Amino acid sequence: RKTSMSNQNGTRSSVRGALPVYGSGVVYYLDRSGNIQGVMLWGLPFSQDPKDVHSNLNCSLVKRMKAIIRSNGGVAIRDHSAKILEEKGVSVDVNLLSYLHLAEESR
């Protein structure tokens, strides 16, 4: 289905309707130097009781995301390098943060 929308400069453009995203996901925001500056999560349990969004905050998830940002992925390197070498058998330097560490962290 097509809709007509007005963009920032006032011109009208034709776009297709967007479909909702289901499931869970993680997006890591990197600056131009490759440092992790933020994390966006969806579909993950932000509350202690996933069935009750008014329950207490899932502090372990929040602490882990803070640790990822503050260490620039260092905790992912520490926690996942052995598993990457064992399971993937790839020839990357696991002492440097790679997409493999972030993919493993996102599981």
Side-chain angles (χ1 to χ4, degrees), residues 8 12 25 37 49 55 63-64 66 74 76 87 104-105:
Q8 287 180 347
R12 299 190 68 67
Q37 296 297 315
D49 181 2
S55 66
K63 285 179 184 177
R64 184 64 182 190
K66 284 181 179 179
E87 290 183 2
E104 195 61 42
E105 184 67 34

Side-chain angles (χ1 to χ4, degrees), residues 80-100:
H80 303 302
S81 290
K83 185 175 184 180
I84 290 169
L85 285 174
E86 179 182 308
E87 290 183 2
K88 308 276 192 263
V90 294
S91 59
V92 298
D93 185 354
V94 292
N95 296 313
L96 300 174
L97 184 65
S98 74
Y99 72 94
L100 295 168

Side-chain angles (χ1 to χ4, degrees), residues 39-54:
V39 180
M40 179 177 67
L41 310 170
W42 67 93
L44 296 173
F46 280 98
S47 55
Q48 288 292 345
D49 181 2
K51 295 178 184 175
D52 178 12
V53 295
H54 298 292

Side-chain angles (χ1 to χ4, degrees), residues 63-83:
K63 285 179 184 177
R64 184 64 182 190
M65 293 303 101
K66 284 181 179 179
I68 291 285
I69 295 168
R70 288 180 179 151
S71 70
N72 194 32
V75 295
I77 294 170
R78 179 194 68 208
D79 295 347
H80 303 302
S81 290
K83 185 175 184 180

